[in-house]
Amino acid sequence: NAGVTQTPKFRILKIGQSMTLQCTQDMNHNYMYWYRQDPGMGLKLIYYSVGAGITDKGEVPNGYNVSRSTTEDFPLRLELAAPSQTSVYFCASSPTIGPGQGSYNEQFFGPGTRLTVL
Amino acid sequence: GENVEQHPSTLSVQEGDSAVIKCTYSDSASNYFPWYKQELGKGPQLIIDIRSNVGEKKDQRIAVTLNKTAKHFSLHITETQPEDSAVYFCAASLEPHSNTGKLIFGQGTTLQVKP
């Protein structure tokens, strides 16, 4: 298994440009997440999905959009890029959360995309 | 909502010494506390986790302790080795009753193990 793959690895955007960060997992995980990592700030959840066709906002969704048409793919769209979106972006996936309270599983992270907006 | 504070932000130890990283959380309903290790240029990877019905968990040289009353949990690494050098993140369950698996992460600790 390749696990979670992300493309591109690096990208430089100009202010106002748009792009899509790709994320694919081959573990048949239903749960997928997008995070951004800024120095000293930890990982902030942007969007998440609990299955194909279902997405929802995380802590910092403004300026981003997602879609989940298949179990495998969870692309993140940046519209009208701004310097504040300069960050490292990580996609993660997790096996289905069990029923009831307190059922959590390991999140498997991709290698990240380093994005700079100038 | 849940908030997780992590200390220290940087930690430097001599090889063979122990390292301790501490986290506090705000939501007493949080019930899952994982620790992730991020090596340079890679994504974070789970190294150990603990659930709220357990006070301590060990896995070889690493251990995690949880104090639910004080709402804090800690990562302990014994006999540190240079390959332990990395950024470590603690996390707590966000919206623990929602079954979405969402986590809130601490700010991260950069651990340097000097040979």
Side-chain angles (χ1 to χ4, degrees), chain B residues 8 25 46 58 70 72-73 75 78-79 81 105:
Chain B
Y25 61 98
L46 180 72
K58 288 184 179 179
H72 66 69
F73 56 112
L75 178 71
T78 59
E79 300 173 15
Q81 301 167 4
F105 285 84

Side-chain angles (χ1 to χ4, degrees), chain A residues 79-92:
Chain A
E79 303 283 2
L80 298 175
S84 61
Q85 293 178 304
T86 294
S87 189
V88 181
Y89 291 85
F90 289 99
C91 177

Side-chain angles (χ1 to χ4, degrees), chain A residues 4-60:
Chain A
V4 180
T5 57
Q6 292 183 239
T7 57
K9 284 185 168 50
F10 304 93
R11 183 72 185 268
I12 298 176
L13 280 182
K14 293 183 180 179
I15 295 172
Q17 287 185 322
S18 301
M19 76 164 294
T20 299
L21 282 67
Q22 301 292 346
C23 174
T24 300
Q25 53 92 8
D26 63 358
M27 298 174 282
N28 201 32
H29 288 169
N30 279 327
Y31 288 67
M32 296 189 74
Y33 310 87
W34 272 106
Y35 295 92
R36 60 177 288 171
Q37 182 179 18
D38 300 301
M41 299 295 291
L43 295 154
K44 298 294 185 183
L45 182 65
I46 305 171
Y47 269 95
Y48 69 99
S49 169
V50 299
I54 306 170
T55 62
D56 207 347
K57 297 177 180 178
E59 302 171 82
V60 290

Side-chain angles (χ1 to χ4, degrees), chain A residues 31 33 37 90 100 102 104 107, chain B residues 36 38 51 89 93 99-101:
Chain A
Y31 288 67
Y33 310 87
Q37 182 179 18
F90 289 99
Y104 281 78
Q107 292 189 15
Chain B
Y36 283 79
Q38 183 180 28
R51 299 179 192 270
F89 291 99
S93 47
N99 283 339
T100 60

Side-chain angles (χ1 to χ4, degrees), chain B residues 28-110:
Chain B
S28 57
S30 286
N31 51 19
Y32 176 67
F33 306 93
W35 286 88
Y36 283 79
K37 175 183 180 182
Q38 183 180 28
E39 296 178 346
L40 195 61
K42 296 184 178 180
Q45 186 171 12
L46 180 72
I47 55 172
I48 195 167
D49 57 14
I50 192 167
R51 299 179 192 270
S52 59
N53 58 350
V54 175
E56 183 175 2
K57 185 177 179 180
K58 288 184 179 179
D59 183 3
Q60 299 182 343
R61 294 187 297 107
I62 60 173
V64 58
T65 58
L66 171 64
N67 183 326
K68 285 192 296 181
T69 302
K71 290 190 283 187
H72 66 69
F73 56 112
S74 301
L75 178 71
H76 304 253
I77 306 174
T78 59
E79 300 173 15
T80 53
Q81 301 167 4
E83 52 265 37
D84 294 329
S85 296
V87 179
Y88 291 81
F89 291 99
C90 64
S93 47
L94 181 65
E95 299 176 10
H97 308 305
S98 65
N99 283 339
T100 60
K102 291 192 291 184
L103 299 171
I104 185 160
F105 285 84
Q107 296 87 344
T109 296
T110 300

